[in-house]
Amino acid sequence: MIIEPKIRGFVCLTAHPDGCAANVQEQIEHVKSKGRIENGPKNVLVIGASAGYGLASRITAAFGSGAATLGLFFEKAPSERRPGTAGWYNSVAFEKAAKAEGLFAKSINGDAFSDEIKAEAIKVLKEEMGPVDLVVYSLAAPRRTHPKTGEVFKSTLKPIGQTYDGITLDTDKEIVKDIHLEPATEEDIRGTVAVMGGEDWQMWMDELDAAGVLAENCQTVAFTYIGTRLTWPIYWEGTIGKAKEDLDRVAVELNKKLASKNGKAYVAVMKGLVTQASSAIPVVPLYISLLYKIMKAKGNHEGCIEQAQRMFATRLYSGEEMPLDESNRIRMDDWEMADDIQQEIERLWPTITTANLHTITDFAGYQSEFLRLFGFGLDGVDYAAETDHMVGFDD
């Protein structure tokens, strides 16, 4: 079929298999261009491996360190009438590329919050891979069914304690407009922490430890975002922020647990980027569009793969003492949060209007990155041609 982008709000309803494969290959080539990461991981489990920082971490582990990888995700396979999701095509492309270079790569498609998927992953580790020395936790989901109680939790994007009034970007209409958000209820907060907090990360590590599949010196990392005070009211000081604080709590507990194995648990603060998750957060797409403009001009803009490769090479596996902030987090947002960058953002933010959106910000770059998430706009792909959308994993 011929596949074109069909965008509804902050979601693209279609994905292009050839474009997704090209996107994955570009990331692989970036990692290779940086050279081998010495003393990198050997056996890696990536929970949430099909897009964004999870996919970038899997690519970096495999093609930067020659690691065997097990990737978990929840994606839709293609049907005769519809293409699969971008995450499906990304993962198929990754496996194909990894196996072509003799690397072990296996994927499990299912609900990573469930006990069943945890058991299936442990089975693969025991029978096919061996203990893991790196666990990357990169789940982003709108809801979670608790595996023990069956309760269904939903995450929300709301301020806490007060209403929020500011500006945001309607990415469909390309309009800068006012936004008003009502404060979260206690139920909103509880649900968001249950979905996006650290409980499932801890459950995973507990299960892996009990099964004997955590290697000596094992490291685990979960991703977070703090951002600037422009976004704090609806992010770091909002419901999502409470969930991210819970990640910090769990990191402390996991470090105690892993001490017997000389292991470590980290929360890594990443740069603000165009991802399927960030596109859904009010204000953030406008902030990212401005951030891209400034950082590209400074020459230090990074995408997911640049961030992941730099984290592996200069933090997790540098062989040197790791620089951490006062909360023991890895700060990969260091370039974003530099004073000169943030001062320029604060200077320009009040001046943004619909009329000057395309001159003050890099909204065109934002749009391009958004489409690339779904395999559109990649060089060398003939989007006018028929493509085989029924792409699947080799058995």
Side-chain angles (χ1 to χ4, degrees):
M1 63 171 60
I2 295 175
I3 304 174
E4 298 177 340
K6 295 181 181 179
I7 300 172
R8 183 179 299 165
F10 53 82
V11 175
C12 185
L13 302 177
T14 52
H16 200 287
D18 300 335
C20 288
N23 192 10
V24 168
Q25 190 60 41
E26 281 189 10
Q27 295 182 65
I28 291 170
E29 293 305 323
H30 173 78
V31 170
K32 288 182 174 181
S33 74
K34 293 296 183 178
R36 186 173 179 84
I37 299 170
E38 298 299 334
N39 303 312
K42 303 303 178 189
N43 276 359
V44 180
L45 170 63
V46 183
I47 305 162
S50 58
Y53 284 120
L55 175 62
S57 296
R58 192 179 190 190
I59 290 170
T60 301
F63 294 94
S65 300
T69 62
L70 174 60
L72 277 58
F73 45 79
F74 204 5
E75 300 289 349
K76 288 185 179 178
S79 66
E80 289 296 335
R81 297 181 61 186
R82 296 186 179 185
T85 54
W88 176 271
Y89 291 135
N90 289 339
S91 301
V92 169
F94 169 85
E95 271 205 19
K96 183 178 179 180
K99 290 176 179 178
E101 297 201 9
L103 299 171
F104 179 92
K106 190 159 188 173
S107 301
I108 298 174
N109 190 27
D111 181 4
F113 293 131
S114 70
D115 287 341
E116 292 77 13
I117 293 299
K118 290 180 174 68
E120 189 174 343
I122 287 170
K123 186 173 186 289
V124 172
L125 296 177
K126 282 187 171 182
E127 297 180 359
E128 302 181 54
M129 284 180 65
V132 291
D133 52 6
L134 177 64
V135 178
V136 177
Y137 188 85
S138 185
L139 284 189
R143 64 182 57 83
R144 172 187 177 218
T145 300
H146 197 285
K148 308 304 182 186
T149 67
E151 185 174 359
V152 178
F153 297 100
K154 295 181 179 179
S155 63
T156 58
L157 297 161
K158 292 183 179 180
I160 293 176
Q162 59 186 357
T163 59
Y164 172 79
D165 291 282
I167 59 171
T168 192
L169 175 61
D170 184 326
T171 54
D172 280 350
K173 298 178 181 178
E174 301 185 18
I175 294 173
V176 178
K177 64 180 184 180
D178 294 334
I179 185 173
H180 173 84
L181 296 173
E182 290 295 318
T185 65
E186 287 301 317
E187 188 64 21
D188 290 332
I189 298 170
R190 177 173 172 265
T192 305
V193 171
V195 177
M196 300 295 292
E199 184 185 34
D200 186 62
W201 183 25
Q202 186 155 30
M203 284 181 166
W204 266 103
M205 296 305 294
D206 287 346
E207 293 282 341
L208 294 168
D209 187 40
V213 290
L214 292 180
E216 188 76 9
N217 302 311
C218 175
Q219 298 190 91
T220 182
V221 60
F223 298 122
T224 193
Y225 180 67
I226 294 177
T228 173
R229 60 187 178 185
L230 290 172
T231 62
W232 282 353
I234 59 168
Y235 195 90
W236 191 249
E237 295 173 350
T239 52
I240 291 291
K242 287 295 182 185
K244 297 303 186 180
E245 287 177 11
D246 194 55
L247 283 179
D248 292 331
R249 175 191 65 80
V250 168
V252 172
E253 295 301 314
L254 290 179
N255 269 307
K256 295 175 184 176
K257 186 181 190 70
L258 292 171
S260 63
K261 291 182 171 60
N262 296 313
K264 290 288 186 179
Y266 299 104
V267 172
V269 186
M270 309 305 279
K271 177 194 175 190
L273 290 173
V274 182
T275 65
Q276 293 184 43
S278 69
S279 300
I281 305 172
V283 183
V284 169
L286 184 58
Y287 168 77
I288 289 175
S289 297
L290 180 57
L291 178 69
Y292 275 28
K293 179 86 168 184
I294 295 168
M295 293 193 75
K296 285 179 180 179
K298 296 278 186 181
N300 62 358
H301 170 68
E302 292 177 307
C304 284
I305 194 62
E306 290 85 4
Q307 282 262 290
Q309 194 281 334
R310 184 161 70 95
M311 181 181 70
F312 275 59
T314 69
R315 301 295 197 275
L316 293 175
Y317 301 102
S318 68
E320 301 175 0
E321 185 176 349
M322 184 153 16
L324 301 171
D325 70 8
E326 66 281 358
S327 298
N328 292 313
R329 305 184 193 104
I330 300 171
R331 298 303 295 258
M332 299 311 301
D333 64 341
D334 48 349
W335 297 354
E336 172 188 354
M337 299 310 298
D339 288 343
D340 59 337
I341 300 292
Q342 290 302 314
Q343 287 168 6
E344 187 70 356
I345 286 172
E346 291 192 15
R347 183 182 73 84
L348 292 172
W349 185 262
T351 71
I352 302 173
T353 66
T354 300
N356 63 23
L357 175 66
H358 284 277
T359 54
I360 287 185
T361 80
D362 184 28
F363 180 57
Y366 177 95
Q367 288 177 306
S368 174
E369 285 297 310
F370 178 80
L371 287 171
R372 285 171 66 91
L373 296 176
F374 303 92
F376 296 104
L378 278 293
D379 291 339
V381 178
D382 185 356
Y383 292 99
E386 294 271 351
T387 184
D388 178 12
H389 70 289
M390 294 297 290
V391 176
F393 294 88
D394 295 332
D395 293 329

